[in-house]
Amino acid sequence: ITDPVKYAAAFPANRLIQDDEWFNTASVSIGCLGVVYSIIIDTVPKYWLKEERYMSDWVTVKAQLQQGDILRDNRHVEVLVNPYSTLPDNNHKCLVTIRNISPPPVGIPKEKGHRNFFTELLGDLIGIFPDIENIMVYVFNTFYSRIPIFIDEAMKGLVDDGYTDISYKVLNLGSANNVRAFSSEIGFPMCDNTYIAAVEGILDMVARMRSLGQVYLSAPFSLRFVRKTDAYLAMMQGSDTCMIEMPMLSGTFGAYETLRRYQDEMFRFSGRPHWGQVNNLSGANGFIGTLYPKLDQWMAVYRQLNTRGTFDNAFTDRVGFSAFTFNRACR
């Protein structure tokens, strides 16, 4: 597929395009460039991961992130932050997860399709009896003042001093995937510790919402760390990025309004909302072009592949990509 001469001999009716502009556009196409019916990927042999999860607090984790060793010394780092302070001096409990490549364990590993018995049991029950989820939502909406404690206890239940298995098993969430939830995720540049300021901004926002409207998040928010990419419309285009996800249990009060506020307030920290999760991006005032400096290059390829507007839809209308223009009959 990378040799034009051999490709032309094998597929004379096809047109092979080898172009960085097209590749960096198609890498994050948001479903706007046509139908992808085949893909070839380069893979690595299966490998083993060791996962460790431990409780900490935001003051400690913040200092570790600023110092940087925790990110340099581990293959994967994820942080869950309780958005509510349950510690002295307005500190917040955190669950830190680190994962690193490990030699194969001796003997057969003890498989853990779950990370917490209660979470796994609840997920299994929801898959069988969906009404249980309605009860859970009722508890969250009725006893909302207890949510900070619920989050603390849920994170404590995830603590694990060491789990080694094949990578895809370690990364599997298990039946927790049965829980109906939605989220917004925003990418923040890691240069100058911008993402640290964003976390502090989230904590301030949540405290204001709690005091003004008794609106509570139903879960901790998470931090994960991703290398930069050249893909034009990727959230991590141009810089290493911290993705901060805010999940909400379906049916909890004020969930969508909370995510809208999260997005709006995080723009001041150079945050780019995840295209595939809840977002309110629009094409007004050329705003998306300010988020993505390579938008013009992306649009040039998009126009070549969508000359007739075949792939225009409600999303492309909202963000200003569609080729459609309005012509008034009478002037």
Side-chain angles (χ1 to χ4, degrees), residues 33 35 38 47 53 58 70 87 113 124 145 165 169 205 228 253 265 297 304 306 314 318 320:
L33 304 185
V35 178
S38 176
Y47 58 93
R53 289 181 163 178
W58 174 240
I70 189 173
L87 295 172
D124 286 338
S145 63
D165 210 328
K169 292 184 178 180
M205 180 196 81
K228 67 179 180 180
F253 292 146
E265 295 206 13
Q297 289 94 317
Q304 292 180 67
N306 192 38
R318 172 164 66 90

Side-chain angles (χ1 to χ4, degrees), residues 6 31 36 44 48 50-51 123 130 132 143 159 164 172 179 189 191 233 245 253 273 297 306 308 316 324:
K6 292 181 179 179
V36 177
V44 298
W48 300 81
K50 181 178 181 181
E51 175 185 86
I132 291 178
F143 304 102
V159 170
T164 301
N172 179 28
V179 179
C191 56
L233 291 193
E245 183 174 21
F253 292 146
Q297 289 94 317
N306 192 38
R308 300 180 181 178
T316 60
F324 173 81

Side-chain angles (χ1 to χ4, degrees), residues 17 49 55 66 88 92 100 142 149 186 224 249 266 272:
I17 298 175
L49 279 179
M55 292 298 296
Q66 290 173 325
H92 298 252
N100 290 292
T142 304
I149 305 301
I186 300 181
R224 62 186 180 91
L249 186 65
M266 291 302 106
R272 289 169 169 166

Side-chain angles (χ1 to χ4, degrees), residues 172-200:
N172 179 28
L173 289 177
S175 65
N177 288 316
N178 291 331
V179 179
R180 289 184 303 151
F182 53 90
S183 65
S184 287
E185 188 173 28
I186 300 181
F188 300 91
M190 295 182 65
C191 56
D192 300 324
N193 287 325
T194 300
Y195 73 100
I196 297 289
V199 173
E200 303 282 0

